[in-house]
Amino acid sequence: MGSPLVVDIHTHMYTPAYMSLLGSRKTVPYTYEPPSGPTRLIILSSDDDPSIPIEERGRPIDSSYLDIEVKLAFMRQHGINCSVVSLANPWLDFIEPEEAQSWAHRINDDLENACANMNNKADPESIKALHEKETLFAFGALPLTAPNTDVIVKEIQRVKTLPHMRGIVLGTSGMGKGLDDERLNPIWAALQDTDTLLFLHPHYGLPDEAFGGADATNRYGHVLPLALGFPLETTIAVTRMLLAGVFDRFPRLKILLAHSGGTLPFLAGRIESCIQHERKFVANGGDLPGPQRNVWDVLQTNIYLDAVVYGVPGLKAAVAASGNADRVLFGKVQRIFVIVSILTVSGTDHPFFPPLGDKKDGEWPSVTTNYKAIKEMFDGDTQAAHAVLGGNAARILKLK
Amino acid sequence: MGSPLVVDIHTHMYTPAYMSLLGSRKTVPYTYEPPSGPTRLIILSSDDDPSIPIEERGRPIDSSYLDIEVKLAFMRQHGINCSVVSLANPWLDFIEPEEAQSWAHRINDDLENACANMNNKADPESIKALHEKETLFAFGALPLTAPNTDVIVKEIQRVKTLPHMRGIVLGTSGMGKGLDDERLNPIWAALQDTDTLLFLHPHYGLPDEAFGGADATNRYGHVLPLALGFPLETTIAVTRMLLAGVFDRFPRLKILLAHSGGTLPFLAGRIESCIQHERKFVANGGDLPGPQRNVWDVLQTNIYLDAVVYGVPGLKAAVAASGNADRVLFGKVQRIFVIVSILTVSGTDHPFFPPLGDKKDGEWPSVTTNYKAIKEMFDGDTQAAHAVLGGNAARILKLK
């Protein structure tokens, strides 16, 4: 059957409208046009350091952030047939309430149009030729700061009607108080009712004190916040949802977790054990209901994981947590999407994890590392490898 | 060959001297004797809440913290032949500098004597009968607050001469500034030179802000700090060691990581990827040397993992991270110790993860969950299961 269909479900863009928004701002996140050289992006408060000359703050940004042609070239170089793009963090988390709805409309329409434009170019007749031409789909962004949740719910419903949209991307802060916030109930209900996949992605990391203070945090560049802060942020967010009973109230919610769940597959057993032993929960004589469904059930019913974990050990845990390991190759592997690109801006580097130095124009090791892990993990099981590489995503996201 | 040798290398005690120390204090950590009822242990600053009546602060402590006979009964109930006990957190991290040395002597001598006493009872002739009688060994504690590192180095050397000591237990704060602190170099050197195993264990968790503030942190009892804070604390500590080049400078250092490495096996690939892409490191044109050995090499050479991970997904990642997955059953599994007990006090619950309610006198699910994961993971491979359950620990810690 030739080379497999490869679908990249974890790949980010800033749309032109989003760039103009960043360019109009003076507080994080914002962009700055220095007298010479490329635009700078200041995305994290740690980037906004007054001791650094403004023309050196943040990072230079290039066309890979926003040019569909560059994305296309990247896809061709790595054998990716289809990308499901999402707006990069911090999405619309920082927008003034009264402007949230219009920015969400504008950004999501931009994304829809970019997909339509590319897919029409790829195949003027239809989007059927996933195997033959590169195609593009997208996750929409939400106006989470809007003055009332109706605005958010309506945007979920509207995104559902856009032909190239395949879900919603969400950060971990929700409406500012995390994802166990009861005010999010209408959002969960709307996502469930419209059968919309939610792509949960980190941005805020951990406080510097977690790493021993600001000095220790930055001592090794971005390694600690990115390698450890990001995955734990995702794990904390989804665990708070679990503990608050979100998956009890919305049992058909479907969430795709970035970076293979942060650390959820590895810590799932420990989380479940701590829940079983928590005296605050009714089961142990306490007052709180506690979650009614266990973490394994939720992992196997409500959660999808990308394969952005850079090695076999993590991938093994992700596959095993998604179901019985003996059945993963035949049935449960559909819970793992491939992510072969981290073209994310993610608040730390300019486009994230590109090849450096004299390897700049070659293949991206951050991509090939994940290819290799999938190959090693499913050695000899072509069907499972192809499912992970794209078959699962195509089926679940209805890409054909 | 009958039932396997089972060695518990992750099991804690407070010695009588340590209890008297806690009883003499008025600041965290301390114990309090209420007018009626059992002694209370206030171990975390969050326990020391003035809005709670003092007789209800912290948690009641019982004989399982300090009575060897209770430990022995627990071992018999769960088929554990040998326990390698360590002082529970926060060890001697809080001791006044001038008292550090004498307390370390006293505690470590207490532990040595407890082991000698129990092993003599078990078998008056020798410690040879691991299979027939329960035996006890210990990890010593260090006087980390001592006025100079010589005191710490000398205690490492002294512990090495005590016949029942099999290593040193250490928290993640080191001398107060984390484990990438250069002042620790003489400690690493002494551990390496004396071939002393270091058992690295969490205590401090993560700042409340990581979980969304104090209210969100405590909303679900101890679940978030224990299930997520502890494992990430361990991961951060060992990653800081790696990034600072500790394993480059001390390539024969041997570290046993609590809770299967926190999340290290799962995040190892991501850590390595972030290192490979970090512009601050010389390899990418920066000024910092960065680690010279990669994380997989360190995992397979310097790091041992216990199996306290409560499920097959985590155990799979731990085994795979310790070596090539295809060779784990035959060669690399020796890097995994079993931990079948979490009789830890660990700063949060009274003895940690005991059965609750009407199951109080039964088997500990926190123990049997790990037994079951090992059985499922090594289904049909008795040799590997037995190695994990005790054979590896017996060989590496020279228990016979």
Side-chain angles (χ1 to χ4, degrees):
Chain A
M1 58 188 276
S3 48
L5 173 69
V6 178
V7 179
D8 180 357
I9 50 75
H10 187 157
T11 179
H12 299 296
M13 294 289 289
Y14 285 146
T15 71
Y18 195 79
M19 286 305 292
S20 74
L21 170 63
L22 293 178
S24 71
R25 291 172 54 83
K26 301 287 173 215
T27 55
V28 174
Y30 67 96
T31 55
Y32 173 75
E33 300 292 340
S36 66
T39 304
R40 311 284 302 187
L41 173 65
I42 296 93
I43 194 173
L44 293 180
S45 31
S46 59
D47 292 336
D48 201 27
D49 181 346
S51 72
I52 304 169
I54 186 164
E55 64 273 16
E56 291 171 22
R57 272 179 226 169
R59 58 223 71 187
I61 62 170
D62 65 19
S63 55
S64 62
Y65 282 82
L66 30 88
D67 186 339
I68 294 285
E69 294 301 321
V70 174
K71 179 77 78 183
L72 191 59
F74 171 85
M75 289 169 66
R76 286 191 178 137
Q77 184 175 27
H78 294 90
I80 298 165
N81 307 91
C82 174
S83 288
V84 186
V85 299
S86 42
L87 194 66
N89 48 308
W91 314 285
L92 303 172
D93 285 12
F94 55 87
I95 307 272
E96 291 301 317
E98 64 275 14
E99 295 181 1
Q101 183 171 33
S102 61
W103 275 111
H105 278 206
R106 200 168 155 194
I107 302 285
N108 290 332
D109 288 347
D110 272 5
L111 284 168
E112 170 62 27
N113 292 337
C115 295
N117 186 41
M118 175 157 152
N119 292 359
N120 288 342
K121 267 200 226 167
D123 182 349
E125 306 284 304
S126 74
I127 314 164
K128 69 187 174 192
L130 276 177
H131 259 287
E132 294 150 30
K133 303 270 172 67
E134 288 81 7
T135 51
L136 205 64
F137 294 87
F139 295 126
L142 290 184
L144 290 165
T145 58
N148 64 73
T149 44
D150 275 2
V151 173
I152 311 173
V153 166
K154 281 199 184 115
E155 188 60 9
I156 292 170
Q157 292 162 342
R158 194 183 77 89
V159 163
K160 188 68 185 179
T161 67
L162 301 179
H164 296 86
M165 287 288 169
R166 288 300 181 272
I168 293 287
V169 65
L170 191 81
T172 63
S173 74
M175 293 167 77
K177 297 195 163 183
L179 301 186
D180 54 359
D181 183 349
E182 289 194 358
R183 293 177 300 164
L184 290 168
N185 281 339
I187 316 299
W188 306 133
L191 290 167
Q192 174 170 285
D193 292 347
T194 54
D195 193 24
T196 296
L197 181 74
L198 186 74
F199 180 28
L200 182 60
H201 193 285
H203 166 71
Y204 298 94
L206 293 177
D208 286 350
E209 293 70 36
F211 302 109
D215 175 55
T217 304
N218 301 317
R219 192 172 297 154
Y220 313 104
H222 295 119
V223 176
L224 290 170
L226 268 189
L228 309 183
F230 261 37
L232 201 80
E233 179 192 347
T234 306
T235 314
I236 290 172
V238 68
T239 304
R240 287 172 70 181
M241 289 177 70
L242 179 84
L243 293 171
V246 172
F247 297 105
D248 300 326
R249 292 197 295 285
F250 305 98
R252 290 177 288 109
L253 208 52
K254 301 283 185 196
I255 304 196
L256 166 65
L257 297 179
H259 315 116
S260 267
T263 61
L264 184 65
F266 191 82
L267 292 180
R270 184 170 175 88
I271 293 166
E272 186 59 28
S273 179
C274 284
I275 291 170
Q276 295 302 326
H277 290 84
E278 176 50 52
R279 289 162 198 264
K280 271 203 178 178
F281 292 151
V282 165
N284 297 319
D287 297 327
L288 281 182
Q292 302 304 299
R293 295 173 55 206
N294 77 39
V295 66
W296 303 114
D297 177 27
V298 170
L299 264 161
Q300 291 167 36
T301 308
N302 302 93
I303 290 183
Y304 299 88
L305 303 169
D306 69 33
V308 196
V309 68
Y310 306 102
V312 169
L315 197 55
K316 274 184 187 268
V319 171
S322 297
N324 183 306
D326 297 337
R327 290 182 291 128
V328 162
L329 301 183
F330 304 104
K332 293 294 187 184
V333 79
Q334 78 271 12
R335 303 201 181 286
I336 312 292
F337 288 81
V338 75
I339 158 53
V340 284
S341 141
I342 283 226
L343 194 70
T344 175
V345 203
S346 290
T348 43
D349 220 331
H350 117 91
F352 205 36
F353 293 156
L356 299 178
D358 56 6
K359 292 176 186 144
K360 229 161 43 180
D361 298 322
E363 284 194 329
W364 290 39
S366 52
V367 177
T368 53
T369 300
N370 282 316
Y371 270 137
K372 276 184 210 148
I374 290 163
K375 189 165 177 288
E376 185 180 337
M377 167 93 195
F378 298 111
D379 182 32
D381 188 338
T382 310
Q383 198 180 349
H386 286 194
V388 168
L389 282 170
N392 299 333
R395 185 179 62 254
I396 295 161
L397 292 180
K398 302 182 180 68
L399 297 181
K400 297 195 196 193
Chain B
M1 59 188 275
S3 47
L5 172 70
V6 178
V7 180
D8 180 356
I9 51 76
H10 186 157
T11 179
H12 299 296
M13 294 288 290
Y14 285 146
T15 71
Y18 195 79
M19 287 304 292
S20 74
L21 169 63
L22 294 178
S24 72
R25 293 170 53 84
K26 301 287 174 215
T27 55
V28 174
Y30 66 97
T31 56
Y32 172 75
E33 300 292 340
S36 66
T39 304
R40 310 284 299 187
L41 173 65
I42 297 91
I43 194 174
L44 294 180
S45 32
S46 60
D47 292 336
D48 200 28
D49 180 347
S51 73
I52 305 169
I54 187 165
E55 63 274 16
E56 291 171 22
R57 274 180 224 168
R59 58 223 71 188
I61 61 170
D62 66 19
S63 54
S64 61
Y65 283 81
L66 31 88
D67 187 339
I68 294 285
E69 294 301 322
V70 175
K71 180 76 79 182
L72 192 58
F74 170 85
M75 289 168 65
R76 286 192 179 137
Q77 184 176 24
H78 294 91
I80 298 165
N81 306 92
C82 174
S83 289
V84 186
V85 299
S86 42
L87 193 66
N89 47 312
W91 314 285
L92 303 173
D93 285 10
F94 54 87
I95 307 274
E96 292 300 319
E98 63 276 14
E99 295 181 1
Q101 182 172 34
S102 62
W103 275 110
H105 278 206
R106 200 166 155 196
I107 302 285
N108 290 333
D109 287 348
D110 271 7
L111 284 168
E112 169 62 26
N113 292 337
C115 295
N117 186 40
M118 176 157 151
N119 293 358
N120 288 341
K121 268 200 224 166
D123 181 349
E125 305 283 305
S126 73
I127 313 165
K128 69 186 175 193
L130 276 177
H131 259 287
E132 292 151 32
K133 303 271 172 63
E134 288 80 7
T135 51
L136 205 63
F137 295 86
F139 295 125
L142 290 184
L144 290 165
T145 58
N148 64 73
T149 44
D150 275 2
V151 173
I152 311 172
V153 166
K154 280 198 185 117
E155 188 60 9
I156 292 171
Q157 292 162 340
R158 195 183 76 89
V159 163
K160 188 69 184 179
T161 67
L162 301 178
H164 296 85
M165 287 288 171
R166 288 299 182 273
I168 293 286
V169 65
L170 190 82
T172 62
S173 73
M175 293 167 79
K177 298 196 163 183
L179 300 187
D180 54 0
D181 183 350
E182 289 194 358
R183 293 177 300 165
L184 289 167
N185 282 339
I187 316 298
W188 306 133
L191 290 167
Q192 174 170 286
D193 292 346
T194 54
D195 193 23
T196 296
L197 182 74
L198 186 75
F199 180 27
L200 182 61
H201 194 286
H203 167 70
Y204 299 93
L206 292 178
D208 286 351
E209 292 70 36
F211 303 109
D215 175 55
T217 305
N218 301 316
R219 193 173 295 154
Y220 313 104
H222 295 118
V223 176
L224 290 171
L226 267 188
L228 309 184
F230 261 36
L232 202 80
E233 179 192 348
T234 306
T235 314
I236 290 171
V238 69
T239 305
R240 287 172 70 181
M241 288 177 70
L242 179 82
L243 293 172
V246 171
F247 297 106
D248 300 324
R249 292 197 295 285
F250 305 98
R252 289 176 290 110
L253 207 53
K254 300 283 184 196
I255 304 197
L256 167 65
L257 297 179
H259 315 116
S260 268
T263 62
L264 184 65
F266 190 83
L267 292 180
R270 186 171 173 87
I271 293 166
E272 186 59 27
S273 178
C274 285
I275 291 170
Q276 295 302 325
H277 289 83
E278 177 50 53
R279 290 163 197 264
K280 269 203 179 179
F281 292 150
V282 165
N284 296 320
D287 297 328
L288 281 182
Q292 302 305 299
R293 296 173 54 206
N294 77 38
V295 65
W296 304 114
D297 175 29
V298 170
L299 264 161
Q300 291 168 35
T301 309
N302 302 92
I303 291 184
Y304 299 89
L305 303 169
D306 70 32
V308 195
V309 67
Y310 306 102
V312 170
L315 197 54
K316 273 184 187 268
V319 171
S322 297
N324 183 307
D326 297 336
R327 289 182 292 129
V328 162
L329 301 184
F330 303 104
K332 294 294 188 183
V333 79
Q334 77 271 13
R335 305 202 179 284
I336 311 293
F337 289 82
V338 74
I339 159 56
V340 285
S341 139
I342 283 227
L343 194 69
T344 173
V345 203
S346 289
T348 45
D349 219 331
H350 118 91
F352 205 38
F353 295 155
L356 298 178
D358 56 7
K359 293 176 187 144
K360 229 162 43 183
D361 299 322
E363 282 193 330
W364 290 39
S366 51
V367 177
T368 53
T369 300
N370 281 315
Y371 271 136
K372 275 183 210 148
I374 291 163
K375 189 165 177 289
E376 184 180 338
M377 167 94 196
F378 299 110
D379 181 33
D381 188 338
T382 310
Q383 196 181 349
H386 287 194
V388 170
L389 282 169
N392 298 335
R395 185 179 62 256
I396 294 162
L397 292 180
K398 302 182 181 68
L399 297 180
K400 296 197 196 193

